Amino acid sequence: MYYFYGIAQTLPQPLGIWAYILLALMVAIEGPIITLTGAAAASAGLLNPVWVFIFASLGNMTADILWYLLGYFGKMELVTRYGIRFGIKESFITRIQKDIHTHIHKVLFVAKMTMGLVIPTLVAAGLARVPFKLWFGILFTAECIWTGGLVLAGYYFGSLIQSIETNLRWVALGGAVALLIAVIYYLSHRKLDLESEM
């Protein structure tokens, strides 16, 4: 507790350390909009933009790790058992697990930048038991770029925040659609490859 008190002493803004802790918790639930709002509050002099970036990043990273752990402690047997109903064979799931291990850096970076698809990607990485050390660095890098961009946008364009939020949703939707098309294309070709091997 003394450590947090020491941090609070370095914060010249009127809202103090609890505002940043609350920001981190809210970002873990609804990231981009809260990050932009925190940055706009920083541009109004209520918060420090550096601390907004740090705590927003911590909130996002915490949520991401929890999604990974949800997949990690989930049961692959359930996916295998219920996947058969949709024509997904165990060999197909095994192949996807191998591909997630191989391409986790690319997939996770793109998913993080599209906002919406990072959750299924992290759950899939957990289910595939991709080691934490293999993906954490790329997630951290993508988080710094994403949250840093949001904080800069919110800080310097605080008055235009509503317009930014609307445009951000369109950009995220476009990125999510593009990634979804790529995943469907990949899965359909992978399934055809596996069927041709049998």
Side-chain angles (χ1 to χ4, degrees):
M1 194 64 180
Y2 179 76
Y3 175 74
F4 284 111
Y5 180 76
I7 291 176
Q9 298 297 83
T10 66
L11 303 172
Q13 284 62 36
L15 297 181
I17 187 68
W18 297 109
Y20 297 99
I21 292 171
L22 181 62
L23 175 79
L25 291 172
M26 291 175 68
V27 164
I29 297 166
E30 176 49 63
I33 293 170
I34 300 299
T35 303
L36 284 168
T37 305
S43 73
L46 297 172
L47 297 172
N48 181 320
V50 174
W51 288 106
V52 168
F53 168 74
I54 291 169
F55 278 85
S57 297
L58 283 173
N60 268 329
M61 294 291 287
T62 301
D64 291 344
I65 290 168
L66 289 174
W67 285 117
Y68 170 80
L69 291 174
L70 178 70
Y72 189 85
F73 291 114
K75 297 194 185 289
M76 183 54 86
E77 296 80 34
L78 292 174
V79 177
T80 306
R81 187 185 321 151
Y82 293 109
I84 291 171
R85 294 181 182 179
F86 300 101
I88 300 172
K89 297 178 183 172
E90 192 171 344
S91 58
F92 180 67
I93 292 171
T94 305
R95 182 65 189 169
I96 287 182
Q97 281 182 301
K98 184 179 174 193
D99 289 343
I100 287 174
H101 276 272
T102 307
H103 303 291
I104 188 66
H105 295 103
K106 293 178 245 179
V107 172
L108 192 56
F109 187 83
V110 171
K112 189 68 181 173
M113 292 299 140
T114 59
M115 198 167 60
L117 294 175
V118 71
I119 293 171
T121 303
L122 287 165
V123 171
L127 281 168
R129 304 293 193 268
V130 179
F132 187 78
K133 63 182 180 182
L134 199 62
W135 58 266
F136 184 78
I138 196 69
L139 184 73
F140 180 79
T141 303
E143 183 61 50
C144 288
I145 294 168
W146 177 252
T147 302
L150 289 176
V151 170
L152 286 173
Y155 185 78
Y156 288 110
F157 305 105
S159 59
L160 304 172
I161 197 159
Q162 208 142 26
S163 170
I164 290 170
E165 286 175 15
T166 304
N167 291 333
L168 183 65
R169 288 182 190 275
W170 284 110
V171 168
L173 180 64
V177 167
L179 186 60
L180 187 62
I181 290 169
V183 167
I184 290 170
Y185 176 81
Y186 165 79
L187 290 176
S188 64
H189 278 75
R190 179 62 62 199
K191 193 172 181 182
L192 289 173
D193 291 345
L194 284 172
E195 286 173 358
S196 65
E197 287 173 12
M198 297 174 126

